[in-house]
Amino acid sequence: MDLKGKKVLVFGSGISGEAAGRLLLEKGAEVVVYDGNDSLDEKKLLSEITWKKGQKVTVILGRLSEQQEDEMLDGLSLVVISPGVPTDLPIVAKMRERGIPVWGEIELAYVFGKGDVLAITGTNGKTTTTALLGEIMRNWKESVFVVGNIGNPYTDVALKTKETSVVVAEISSFQLETVHTFCPKVSAILNITPDHLNRHHTMEAYIAAKESIAVNQTDKDFCVLNYEDEVTRAFGEKVKADVLYFSSAHKLKRGVYLDGTKIICDIDRRIEICDVSELNILGTHNYENAMAATAMAYAYGVPVEIIQRSLKEFQGVEHRIEFVAEKNGVAYFNDSKGTNPDAAIRGIRAMNRPTVLIGGGYDKDSEYDEWIEAFGGKVKKLVLIGATRGKIAETARQHGFQDIVMADTFEEAFDRCVESAQPGDAVLLSPACASWGMFKNYEERGDKFKELVNRL
């Protein structure tokens, strides 16, 4: 697509919007950036996008009247919408009615990028699997880019890729809502459990968004799916790509599975990859992540010995059941990436000692029954923060869990944990909620937790 001299709207600033703006300027487009937040610093935003002398960007901030919206949309050749912007807004409907293509950052990067894409989605495990697959590919190929929801915008590297490049991409449901031609050589859906229903409204819409990662794949491509997840197993019956399953509970005729403590890759021949005791990441969910990465790498043609070495060397991902320190006989774990109940259940299952748990945060319309049920005598005290604390407390009491403390600030919650924990206990930050409202993102929340631990 030739964008030289074309008027393109970037809807939503943020990291993705800024990166999209930079790519569009490189392709010669006339860039307009719109964000409904009128408190943003326009000069700072411009400096993040226009890093070459002479580049011009129009910035529009705040709510617009209908007339102002129409003026902004006049003459547009393309809209690039940031993942944080809901696609069911009236202004987005107006764009589509006018016949203006609405792309996401992933689609934009894919159109202008080169090489092969290995793409991963799922409710939980995306970041660990993406980071692990990225390590495998770096140990094999020279030109490898690890991008997407992992914190490195695809649009920032798309123009650096070449035909021999491999792009390993973590893709969220928000990003998948706006793909059109995006087609990975190997895709993976790790699992699907309720999340982001405040954005997608129904579970059916959320599932459809996740499944669109494979919508453009053909029988020459591969799709890696979780055999233990009912939704993904059923999806395997209708996907066009060559399906490979991974399983933590069943020996598969074709796929990657756990046989006792051994990870077995049996796709065209039976190969023992490693024993789980050789991994530095703990828990069945992480063994599933390792199996998914193995299946993707093997399908793409990576030599077995490189997969084996990479799995054994991989040290895990920051903010995901991350051991911080032991202080006064108490072990502190940062699982700030446990931003929904299913992810937080995995954090609890990884604990092997009595646990004081910090939970709560932004309300994504989640239900917390299964999370509370997973406490199973392991959680001794629940310290709650954020907008969801009342809802979670009520759910906990309904399930017979009474040892609950309410805190007004994150620091207060941490102090209550320190007071409650005894030598031999664990303190776990695994909130089952997003961080928004109290922090910019889960990384900031996790960093704060680690800072408080290290001050002890």
Side-chain angles (χ1 to χ4, degrees):
M1 177 183 253
D2 183 8
L3 291 177
K4 193 164 186 179
K6 302 283 180 63
K7 182 182 173 186
V8 179
L9 175 67
V10 176
F11 190 178
S13 54
I15 295 171
S16 292
E18 290 167 2
R22 288 191 289 270
L23 186 153
L24 290 164
L25 286 172
E26 281 292 291
K27 301 309 289 184
E30 294 179 10
V31 178
V32 179
V33 177
Y34 170 63
D35 199 299
N37 183 359
D38 58 7
S39 65
L40 290 173
D41 186 331
E42 185 176 335
K43 285 184 179 177
K44 185 174 182 297
L45 182 57
L46 283 169
S47 70
E48 291 292 336
I49 299 171
T50 56
W51 50 277
K52 273 188 181 176
K53 206 170 183 181
Q55 290 179 319
K56 289 184 180 178
V57 176
T58 302
V59 174
I60 302 171
L61 300 175
R63 288 194 171 192
L64 303 179
S65 67
E66 279 211 36
Q67 183 181 341
Q68 289 171 319
E69 281 184 0
D70 290 338
E71 288 171 359
M72 182 176 72
L73 299 185
D74 282 345
L76 285 182
S77 296
L78 176 67
V79 173
V80 179
I81 191 167
S82 296
V85 178
T87 55
D88 57 358
L89 293 177
I91 190 172
V92 179
K94 191 184 284 189
M95 294 166 182
R96 288 175 170 146
E97 285 165 11
R98 287 182 171 219
I100 304 168
V102 178
W103 291 4
E105 181 236 352
I106 296 298
E107 180 71 14
L108 178 68
Y110 180 77
V111 167
F112 288 104
K114 295 174 182 174
D116 291 331
V117 179
L118 313 181
I120 297 151
T121 195
T123 306
N124 298 303
K126 294 188 297 296
T127 302
T128 299
T129 307
T130 302
L132 176 49
L133 184 60
E135 284 301 298
I136 294 170
M137 299 314 298
R138 286 190 180 113
N139 286 333
W140 185 44
K141 290 271 189 178
E142 186 179 321
S143 179
V144 176
F145 300 88
V146 181
V147 303
N149 208 44
I150 200 165
N152 181 29
Y154 189 0
T155 39
D156 255 349
V157 305
L159 299 183
K160 300 173 187 174
T161 57
K162 47 194 178 184
E163 295 300 337
T164 56
S165 295
V166 178
V167 176
V168 181
E170 175 185 344
I171 314 287
S172 72
S173 59
F174 295 178
Q175 292 169 317
L176 286 168
E177 286 182 313
T178 47
V179 297
H180 300 279
T181 63
F182 177 70
C183 181
K185 283 298 295 178
V186 186
S187 68
I189 307 177
L190 304 179
N191 46 64
I192 299 181
T193 57
D195 197 18
H196 298 300
L197 297 185
N198 59 325
R199 164 76 172 255
H200 296 289
H201 307 303
T202 67
M203 194 62 192
E204 290 74 18
Y206 177 55
I207 291 169
K210 290 291 189 189
E211 291 180 346
S212 64
I213 195 169
V215 70
N216 294 314
Q217 288 188 296
T218 71
D219 58 6
K220 292 182 175 61
D221 305 312
F222 290 90
C223 181
V224 173
L225 300 169
N226 187 347
Y227 190 80
E228 302 311 312
D229 185 295
E230 289 183 13
V231 176
T232 57
R233 186 168 67 242
F235 182 58
E237 300 296 319
K238 56 184 179 180
V239 70
K240 295 174 192 168
D242 188 352
V243 172
L244 299 175
Y245 286 107
F246 64 92
S247 174
S248 56
H250 290 84
K251 293 181 183 179
L252 303 173
K253 289 181 179 177
R254 186 168 181 261
V256 181
Y257 59 88
L258 204 56
D259 185 0
T261 60
K262 309 286 187 187
I263 292 178
I264 305 297
C265 178
D266 194 348
I267 293 172
D268 49 24
R269 60 194 171 103
R270 189 182 189 277
I271 306 163
E272 185 180 308
I273 299 296
C274 66
D275 192 287
V276 295
S277 64
E278 298 175 277
L279 301 176
N280 296 303
I281 49 179
L282 303 174
T284 302
H285 65 286
N286 273 324
Y287 306 154
E288 290 177 340
N289 296 336
M291 288 188 283
T294 297
M296 294 183 76
Y298 190 86
Y300 191 64
V302 180
V304 173
E305 58 272 18
I306 289 177
I307 298 173
Q308 291 170 319
R309 174 165 60 88
S310 303
L311 261 62
K312 293 171 187 177
E313 291 175 352
F314 183 66
Q315 293 297 315
V317 173
E318 190 179 17
H319 307 296
R320 193 65 181 108
I321 319 177
E322 174 193 9
F323 175 70
V324 181
E326 185 167 313
K327 300 279 187 170
N328 304 312
V330 177
Y332 290 82
F333 291 89
N334 166 30
D335 191 35
S336 186
K337 204 171 187 312
T339 58
N340 60 66
D342 191 61
I345 287 170
R346 294 159 189 243
I348 292 166
R349 285 178 179 161
M351 295 298 102
N352 58 4
R353 50 171 82 192
T355 301
V356 181
L357 175 64
I358 300 176
Y362 178 83
D363 193 353
K364 295 194 286 184
D365 290 345
S366 296
E367 297 297 329
Y368 301 97
D369 299 84
E370 290 184 21
W371 181 49
I372 302 296
E373 288 172 4
F375 289 3
K378 195 179 284 187
V379 175
K380 58 183 278 188
K381 187 181 288 289
L382 178 60
V383 182
L384 292 172
I385 54 175
T388 57
R389 63 181 183 170
K391 181 178 179 180
I392 293 172
E394 184 182 343
T395 303
R397 292 187 183 107
Q398 286 170 359
H399 288 269
F401 189 93
Q402 303 294 337
D403 203 345
I404 300 165
V405 175
M406 299 289 203
D408 292 325
T409 66
F410 191 78
E411 289 80 0
E412 182 192 348
F414 183 81
D415 290 344
R416 297 294 80 77
C417 291
V418 174
E419 291 167 8
S420 301
Q422 302 296 318
D425 289 352
V427 171
L428 172 66
L429 168 66
S430 189
C433 299
S435 59
W436 309 316
M438 197 172 274
F439 297 96
K440 280 192 307 185
N441 48 46
Y442 73 79
E443 294 98 334
E444 186 179 78
R445 178 172 62 188
D447 287 341
K448 184 64 179 178
F449 179 77
K450 291 194 284 186
E451 177 192 323
L452 294 171
V453 172
N454 290 321
R455 276 191 204 165
L456 290 175

